[in-house]
Amino acid sequence: MLNQLTKKIINEFSPMWTNKQVWEFEEINENLTFDMLYAEPGKYDESLWESKSTHLDSDVRDVAVRTFDNLLEGEELWIASKGKKQLDTKFIPYLMATIVDTMIEEEVCLNLRQDKDCFVISIDRNADVIDCKEFFEEFYHLATGFNYDTDTGIPEDQTEAEMYLTRLQEEFDEKMKGMLGDTYLPGNNDPDTINAED
């Protein structure tokens, strides 16, 4: 079951932004930075903004990548507008798209919520594969640049759609195999499932 607060915030700001929208937003808001800090769950306090665990006036992608271990260790990342200790709501769709895009490689399911006027991110430790799939499906058009109301060329009929998507995946796999040879892993497999002993 996808975390309820995460579901709520996704529904509130749905559909999620595409990479194109993120890029356009960054063009308008040049050098976009935020104040961020890490706190243990339930231990957030405004005085933490004065502590060493802060990343003030920082790039959100940079912080998310550099401090990913903090998230893995169970800490929460609190994000606020620069110098404000709270976040202007207009940045939430941008932050959701940007952070999920940064985390796609890690394949972790995130918990997202608004708390004390900040935007808070943590790793969902209770998520199973289905939760993760549900989570990333909300953001699928980050990569494609499509929005829900755009005709993507995917057939309406479910069986046809599956055949169509399988064909696309196979064509992509063929192309990548041609370029990368045996180092390429087809589909959504990870090395562990391929190398696992039967």
Side-chain angles (χ1 to χ4, degrees):
M1 223 2 218
L2 203 57
N3 175 292
Q4 289 309 303
L5 289 170
T6 304
K7 225 176 183 142
K8 181 173 171 279
I9 202 166
I10 284 174
N11 289 340
E12 195 177 328
F13 294 98
S14 201
M16 296 299 116
W17 282 14
T18 64
N19 274 333
K20 185 169 183 283
Q21 284 169 294
V22 167
W23 178 77
E24 284 167 352
F25 192 74
E26 286 174 345
E27 288 289 295
I28 299 163
N29 302 277
E30 277 182 56
N31 307 321
L32 199 51
T33 57
F34 297 90
D35 288 350
M36 290 166 265
L37 69 78
Y38 278 100
E40 285 178 37
K43 297 209 176 144
Y44 170 81
D45 184 278
E46 213 164 271
S47 65
L48 287 172
W49 290 108
E50 316 305 323
S51 74
K52 285 200 176 90
S53 63
T54 57
H55 302 271
L56 302 177
D57 192 5
S58 300
D59 177 84
V60 68
R61 286 187 190 88
D62 178 52
V63 170
V65 170
R66 257 188 316 116
T67 61
F68 185 62
D69 284 352
N70 293 66
L71 285 171
L72 281 178
E73 285 159 21
E75 291 184 61
E76 296 181 329
L77 180 61
W78 289 66
I79 305 175
S81 298
K82 203 163 53 177
K84 299 257 180 84
K85 297 183 183 157
Q86 54 185 30
L87 183 71
D88 186 335
T89 330
K90 73 171 187 185
F91 292 115
I92 290 180
Y94 166 78
L95 287 167
M96 287 168 81
T98 311
I99 285 172
V100 171
D101 192 39
T102 308
M103 296 290 177
I104 281 175
E105 289 298 300
E106 308 294 345
E107 293 186 347
V108 291
C109 190
L110 299 174
N111 280 335
L112 311 168
R113 71 177 196 276
Q114 284 172 280
D115 201 339
K116 297 182 175 54
D117 295 323
C118 293
F119 183 55
V120 187
I121 295 152
S122 59
I123 288 178
D124 188 346
R125 304 213 162 273
N126 304 317
D128 58 20
V129 175
I130 291 159
D131 295 333
C132 282
K133 184 172 180 291
E134 189 184 341
F135 177 78
F136 282 108
E137 274 174 358
E138 291 292 344
F139 293 90
Y140 79 96
H141 55 299
L142 262 175
T144 60
F146 293 129
N147 265 332
Y148 296 111
D149 52 2
T150 309
D151 180 19
T152 56
I154 299 171
E156 288 291 317
D157 179 74
Q158 195 177 345
T159 319
E160 283 178 27
E162 279 175 20
M163 283 162 58
Y164 174 79
L165 292 168
T166 306
R167 194 179 76 236
L168 279 187
Q169 181 69 54
E170 283 168 356
E171 284 171 6
F172 179 75
D173 287 343
E174 283 304 307
K175 197 166 98 188
M176 294 309 282
K177 253 202 172 81
M179 287 158 65
L180 299 173
D182 290 343
T183 53
Y184 176 66
L185 298 174
N188 295 323
N189 295 321
D190 59 81
D192 297 341
T193 51
I194 288 182
N195 299 329
E197 296 296 320
D198 290 329

